Amino acid sequence: MNPCVELVTSPRNLGFKEMASFTGLSASQTQILCRCSPPISFTASISSPLHFKKQAPVRRLLVVPLKCSSPGPSQETESEAETMSAPSSSVSLASSNSTYNWRAGIGAVGLLETAYLTYLKLSGSDAFCPLGGGSCGDVLNSDYALVFGVPLPLLGLIAYGFVTTLSLQLTRKNLPLGISETDGRLLLLGSTTSMAAASAYFLYILSTQFAGTSCSYCLISALLSFSLFFISLKDVGLQEVQKVVGLQVCIASLVVATLSTSYSNLPSAPSSTGNINLPYFTTEITTDSSPFAIPLARHLHSVGAKMYGAFWCSHCQEQKQMFGREAAKLLDYVECFPEGYKTGTKMIKACADANLEGFPTWVINGQVLSGEMELEKLAEVSGFEFSG
């Protein structure tokens, strides 16, 4: 038996209980403290008038420390949890930043592509088409390249710019208007959902209205949009996606409905190389020639400048309207499809030898100019000086 416990509980050791009471400790507290810590000895005198008439013999008492503690299991668990969670948080943060960087990089590629196409659309020039030749330009210059009169590349420029900017801000943890990181991810998911839905719709238009036509810019844009959508889907996570899946479906449906409404009254694209048979036709020039246009046309003819075009090409007709009725008759215009167009029809040899990238194309003094040109630009390239 522990001597400390025996000292407290035995009737023979009543003096120790009295000492415990004197020091402010109960017997039970003294017993517990004795069990917790090793005893410390000291000597004291106790006199009891109730039992002794003279000085009581000296007794050795035990006084224990008033504090007894040891590190608990909860503290060790918390410390271990903090140590284990630190690397996990670092990995999660690095993964998120990597996702944001990928999304910003893909968005930047789309931004460059749509910026180039927007410039061409606003300037009236034709795009360089490494695949598909003139048919690529026909798709980009068709009525399907406008949404309620707004150039489609301009809308793509805004969308890619938004995704790129927001991704970079998420990487820096610097979101505007107090937007949280979770809300930023959901905004990106909504934006990329609309872009993917629009790309899917345009692929449908390309396969039905432009059957057999190759449009490299359309395919690249679709690839970028779908990549951004799947990255955003993975970044948000399955649980969060399930909460907003209804909203995502509404966004996609709204995009498709808007595009369908915009294109509801458009005829089938004449540039489609599918099952079409388009007879040759001419378009009347209704404008009058300016005093500058007539001598310019004569000069272009004198230096051997040629304009290559197709009878269905709207930009070719607009170029002729710039010169006017009188001046347009003086131009050396080469029609690439003089017999009309139907499935399998190829350009005449003169156009094929010129390696045309689109319509119209000017060849002046060995210099090739693609797209609709201002008269002043043609005068500059050909060396024409107006003296009138």
Side-chain angles (χ1 to χ4, degrees):
M1 186 173 190
N2 191 314
C4 179
V5 176
E6 181 182 2
L7 180 64
V8 174
T9 56
S10 175
R12 293 175 300 161
N13 299 319
L14 181 62
F16 185 79
K17 291 183 178 181
E18 292 174 353
M19 185 59 188
S21 176
F22 177 77
T23 57
L25 296 175
S26 65
S28 62
Q29 290 172 327
T30 306
Q31 178 179 351
I32 293 173
L33 293 175
C34 283
R35 286 176 176 175
C36 293
S37 304
I40 302 174
S41 299
F42 74 97
T43 303
S45 298
I46 298 178
S47 60
S48 176
L50 297 178
H51 300 283
F52 303 99
K53 293 182 180 180
K54 59 181 180 180
Q55 181 72 27
V58 175
R59 304 187 181 195
R60 293 186 176 274
L61 300 180
L62 298 175
V63 177
V64 297
L66 298 180
K67 184 176 181 181
C68 175
S69 63
S70 63
S74 61
Q75 296 177 353
E76 295 178 357
T77 304
E78 292 176 0
S79 178
E80 292 177 0
E82 291 176 358
T83 304
M84 295 175 64
S85 64
S88 176
S89 300
S90 301
V91 172
S92 176
L93 180 60
S95 177
S96 298
N97 288 338
S98 177
T99 301
Y100 300 148
N101 289 333
W102 269 104
R103 193 158 34 201
I106 295 174
V109 174
L111 190 66
L112 292 175
E113 181 199 21
T114 51
Y116 169 66
L117 296 179
T118 300
Y119 165 75
L120 295 178
K121 192 67 178 178
L122 297 179
S123 64
S125 304
D126 283 335
F128 169 73
C129 300
L131 299 175
S135 61
C136 177
D138 292 333
V139 175
L140 298 174
N141 293 324
S142 69
D143 292 332
Y144 288 93
L146 298 172
V147 179
F148 293 111
V150 180
L152 183 60
L154 180 59
L155 298 177
L157 179 67
I158 296 173
Y160 282 116
F162 176 78
V163 170
T164 303
T165 302
L166 187 56
S167 297
L168 290 175
Q169 289 178 329
L170 279 169
T171 304
R172 301 168 184 170
K173 311 301 181 188
N174 183 25
L175 294 173
L177 305 177
I179 300 175
S180 66
E181 184 173 359
T182 300
D183 292 338
R185 291 178 178 178
L186 293 177
L187 279 175
L188 283 174
L189 179 60
S191 302
T192 55
T193 298
S194 64
M195 295 167 67
S199 294
Y201 185 85
F202 289 126
L203 289 178
Y204 165 76
I205 293 294
L206 186 64
S207 63
T208 56
Q209 301 298 325
F210 299 90
T213 300
S214 176
C215 178
S216 54
Y217 295 101
C218 307
L219 298 178
I220 291 174
S221 181
L223 177 62
L224 295 176
S225 297
F226 285 122
S227 298
L228 289 172
F229 170 69
F230 286 118
I231 291 176
S232 299
L233 200 65
K234 182 179 180 299
D235 187 34
V236 171
L238 181 60
Q239 293 182 349
E240 290 297 328
V241 170
Q242 290 176 344
K243 297 178 183 178
V244 296
V245 63
L247 179 60
Q248 301 305 109
V249 172
C250 290
I251 292 175
S253 301
L254 180 61
V255 170
V256 173
T258 301
L259 295 175
S260 299
T261 303
S262 176
Y263 300 144
S264 59
N265 297 323
L266 294 182
S268 298
S271 59
S272 173
T273 58
N275 299 319
I276 64 170
N277 186 358
L278 189 64
Y280 176 79
F281 62 86
T282 59
T283 302
E284 181 183 2
I285 301 175
T286 59
T287 59
D288 295 327
S289 298
S290 66
F292 178 76
I294 294 177
L296 173 61
R298 289 198 183 100
H299 174 75
L300 291 173
H301 175 74
S302 66
V303 298
K306 295 184 182 300
M307 172 185 169
Y308 297 87
F311 64 94
W312 71 77
C313 171
S314 60
H315 288 288
C316 300
Q317 303 305 323
E318 292 173 1
Q319 184 74 86
K320 293 178 182 179
Q321 294 285 0
M322 282 187 185
F323 279 93
R325 285 188 298 268
E326 298 82 0
K329 296 176 181 179
L330 302 175
L331 297 175
D332 287 333
Y333 173 72
V334 180
E335 172 60 53
C336 294
F337 298 91
E339 303 298 328
Y341 183 86
K342 59 183 179 181
T343 304
T345 301
K346 297 182 179 180
M347 294 185 293
I348 63 173
K349 188 176 185 304
C351 295
D353 293 342
N355 295 322
L356 305 180
E357 297 176 356
F359 303 120
T361 295
W362 287 91
V363 179
I364 305 174
N365 296 330
Q367 185 173 352
V368 179
L369 304 174
S370 297
E372 187 179 332
M373 295 287 134
E374 295 292 335
L375 299 186
E376 290 76 9
K377 178 66 175 179
L378 295 173
E380 177 185 350
V381 174
S382 64
F384 172 71
E385 295 182 1
F386 183 58
S387 59

